[in-house]
Amino acid sequence: MQEQQLLMIKYGELGLKGKNKNQFINRLVKNIERALADLPERKVNVSLGRITVPVLDDRDAVVERLSRVFGIYAICPVRTASKDLAAIQRAALATLSEALPNGGEFKVESRRSDKRFPMTSPEISKAVGGYIFAQTGDKYTAQMRKPQHIVNVEVRDEAAYVYCGSFPGAKGMPVGTGGRAVVMLSGGIDSPVAAFMAMKRGVNIEAVHFESFPFTSERALEKVLDLAQVLARWHNRPLRVHAVHFTEIQKAIHAVCPEEYGITIMRRFMFRLAEQIASRNAAIAIYTGESVGQVASQTLESMYVINNVTKMPVLRPLIGFDKEEIVARAQRIGTFDISIRPYEDCCTVFLPPHPKIKPRLAEAEAMEQNLALDELLAEALTRTKTYIVTPDGVTEQTDEFS
Ligand code: ATP
Ligand code: MG
């Protein structure tokens, strides 16, 4: 058997899922296949709790794609060898020489899932370690407690696997295993991070963006679509962005509501619309990038009044984070540089100088009596445009609003 290079996928938390485990693994495999769709085709294999991906001459590209698939704990480059000791020994030495070319401390750890193999795991480790010493003199030393590197040997039904070290995975759960939600996506720093955290827990997302064209420029929408493009890489499937025409609502609020309640009422409209778009798309929760105390609309009193318009769970993964922590995450995800582009958001266009920090529900409801609520909502939805965003580009969805 020829030595072959594979990537072995370790999945962490999935292991806890009992009966659903297979469903989770199947979803993970599909997501991996999608993440690799732009590379030359290959067969992703699943057997006995291991997912393996063959490497052609594109290992770095494959690792890069896999590092954005949630549900993967670690990605191990693996050598396969036929199931005889000499082949395993050779593969182990080659693997160690690559990982520690200048020598150092190591340890061999073996596992044998194929119990027909004539040696026990400790015997395999001993024989492999002995071979390495015999071949390399004093270049390597054994270190059982805290080795720099562990050479792993797994004797499995189909072959033996040897590996040493791994690339970190994105952790979390495979997208598609956690239900469907809408994310309110502004052009700011926070909401893309909230979207990321939704996806990380396996949630399939649709983005809703409120635009105030012509008060905000076309560049504002472009910015949101650029953010969505970065997020789409982690979604492992196209990401839909519903761009809601919010301008008429803002004008109506501005015309009849006291200025200090402008933001409160505007945000109550946003949640009503987000809920309706969610329902139409079989989504059952709303994510936002809110964090307590960040701005006037994010005090508990404001959130109480704003949240009151929807029965859907509103999930706020950033609720306890400081801005600094959110910024650090945005930088890691790759959305920060886009978020800080200086285009206006609809919230800033009509921003009152002194927004109400502790609004009252009864007052907000009374003010809304002066607005044609249903018509305003219906019109905004009719004028919603949907974009389908992939890592490679954006297309507008042309069929009927869904
Ligand atoms: P962000 O950086 O996400 O814009 P922010 O700190 O600017 O957040 P707000 O403007 O009060 O806070 O918005 C709070 C949340 O409401 C955002 O995180 C986002 O989820 C949602 N939101 C605000 N503006 C819009 C918009 N134009 N379209 C869609 N969602 C929005
Ligand atoms: Mg904002």
Side-chain angles (χ1 to χ4, degrees):
M1 177 178 176
Q2 204 171 358
E3 250 189 27
Q4 193 197 354
Q5 289 255 6
L6 287 176
L7 293 171
M8 186 174 80
I9 309 294
K10 289 191 171 169
Y11 38 85
E13 226 179 307
L14 287 188
L16 302 173
K17 289 291 159 190
K19 278 187 195 155
N20 293 335
K21 193 169 159 180
N22 278 342
Q23 259 170 296
F24 281 74
I25 292 171
N26 291 342
R27 176 61 64 190
L28 181 57
V29 170
K30 280 209 183 83
N31 289 353
I32 289 171
E33 285 168 350
R34 285 182 177 139
L36 301 178
D38 64 325
L39 297 176
E41 204 179 324
R42 74 206 67 211
K43 171 112 186 69
V44 177
N45 281 295
V46 194
S47 88
L48 289 176
R50 288 277 189 246
I51 298 173
T52 52
V53 180
V55 176
L56 309 171
D57 53 2
D58 53 2
R59 192 184 90 173
D60 293 350
V62 176
V63 170
E64 198 245 346
R65 303 296 190 289
L66 293 177
S67 69
R68 287 194 299 263
V69 177
F70 290 117
I72 293 181
Y73 189 80
I75 305 152
C76 311
V78 164
R79 273 194 169 73
T80 56
S82 56
K83 287 191 287 181
D84 70 72
L85 183 62
I88 293 171
Q89 287 170 324
R90 277 197 307 274
L93 177 58
T95 303
L96 181 64
S97 313
E98 227 170 70
L100 267 181
N102 302 318
E105 296 171 341
F106 79 102
K107 173 187 181 182
V108 181
E109 272 181 11
S110 305
R111 229 190 294 175
R112 178 181 61 138
S113 58
D114 175 8
K115 301 293 180 201
R116 292 165 308 178
F117 192 76
M119 298 168 80
T120 64
S121 302
E123 285 167 356
I124 300 169
S125 297
K126 206 169 155 205
V128 170
Y131 175 81
I132 291 172
F133 293 131
Q135 295 294 313
T136 56
D138 55 7
K139 188 172 174 189
Y140 297 105
T141 50
Q143 166 57 262
M144 293 302 143
R145 266 194 237 137
K146 279 192 181 163
Q148 275 173 300
H149 284 272
I150 295 177
V151 177
N152 295 276
V153 176
E154 285 191 22
V155 182
R156 300 171 58 79
D157 280 353
E158 65 279 13
Y161 291 174
V162 180
Y163 61 96
C164 184
S166 61
F167 300 98
K171 319 278 189 313
M173 308 289 263
V175 174
T177 59
R180 184 188 294 269
V182 297
V183 178
M184 288 169 53
L185 188 64
S186 70
I189 295 167
D190 306 336
S191 48
V193 178
F196 177 89
M197 290 176 79
M199 292 187 282
K200 183 171 184 200
R201 296 308 301 167
V203 175
N204 194 335
I205 59 169
E206 310 236 348
V208 177
H209 175 69
F210 302 98
E211 55 168 344
S212 317
F213 190 76
F215 296 105
T216 53
S217 69
E218 263 167 19
R219 306 291 290 272
L221 175 65
E222 209 176 283
K223 180 179 174 184
V224 169
L225 293 173
D226 285 351
L227 286 168
Q229 229 176 317
V230 175
L231 295 171
R233 296 204 211 154
W234 300 87
H235 203 225
N236 308 146
R237 52 183 55 57
L239 172 60
R240 295 206 298 170
V241 177
H242 305 280
V244 183
H245 180 76
F246 201 57
T247 321
E248 306 313 320
I249 290 176
Q250 284 184 295
K251 283 198 222 159
I253 295 171
H254 196 63
V256 305
C257 298
E259 204 177 56
E260 55 173 9
Y261 265 80
I263 293 268
T264 310
I265 294 176
M266 192 179 89
R267 293 190 60 75
R268 281 164 61 89
F269 272 88
M270 284 187 180
F271 278 100
R272 289 183 178 107
L273 289 163
E275 183 184 80
Q276 292 201 23
I277 292 172
S279 300
R280 290 178 183 204
N281 290 285
I284 53 174
I286 300 168
Y287 276 79
T288 78
E290 290 163 300
S291 141
V292 172
Q294 207 186 68
V295 287
S297 63
Q298 294 175 29
T299 62
L300 284 187
E301 290 85 353
S302 281
M303 283 198 245
Y304 172 75
V305 175
I306 293 164
N307 208 143
N308 203 270
V309 298
T310 174
K311 285 209 173 71
M312 258 185 204
V314 178
L315 304 175
R316 302 173 170 94
L318 311 184
I319 201 69
F321 287 157
D322 293 342
K323 197 74 185 188
E324 209 180 278
E325 295 168 285
I326 302 172
V327 164
R329 277 166 198 258
Q331 281 167 333
R332 284 206 300 273
I333 298 164
T335 50
F336 182 75
D337 290 341
I338 303 172
S339 291
I340 58 173
R341 282 188 214 156
Y343 298 116
E344 294 197 307
D345 179 60
C346 71
C347 294
T348 50
V349 175
F350 290 90
L351 191 70
H354 302 292
K356 195 87 178 160
I357 289 169
K358 296 186 177 185
R360 294 166 61 102
L361 181 58
E363 286 192 39
E365 284 173 345
M367 291 167 195
E368 284 173 359
Q369 296 295 317
N370 303 319
L371 290 164
L373 215 80
D374 291 341
E375 288 93 89
L376 284 169
L377 292 171
E379 200 215 334
L381 286 175
T382 314
R383 296 179 68 177
T384 294
K385 285 186 180 159
T386 297
Y387 299 89
I388 299 168
V389 180
T390 68
D392 305 316
V394 178
T395 48
E396 193 178 333
Q397 185 169 304
T398 45
D399 47 341
E400 182 108 312
F401 175 71
S402 59

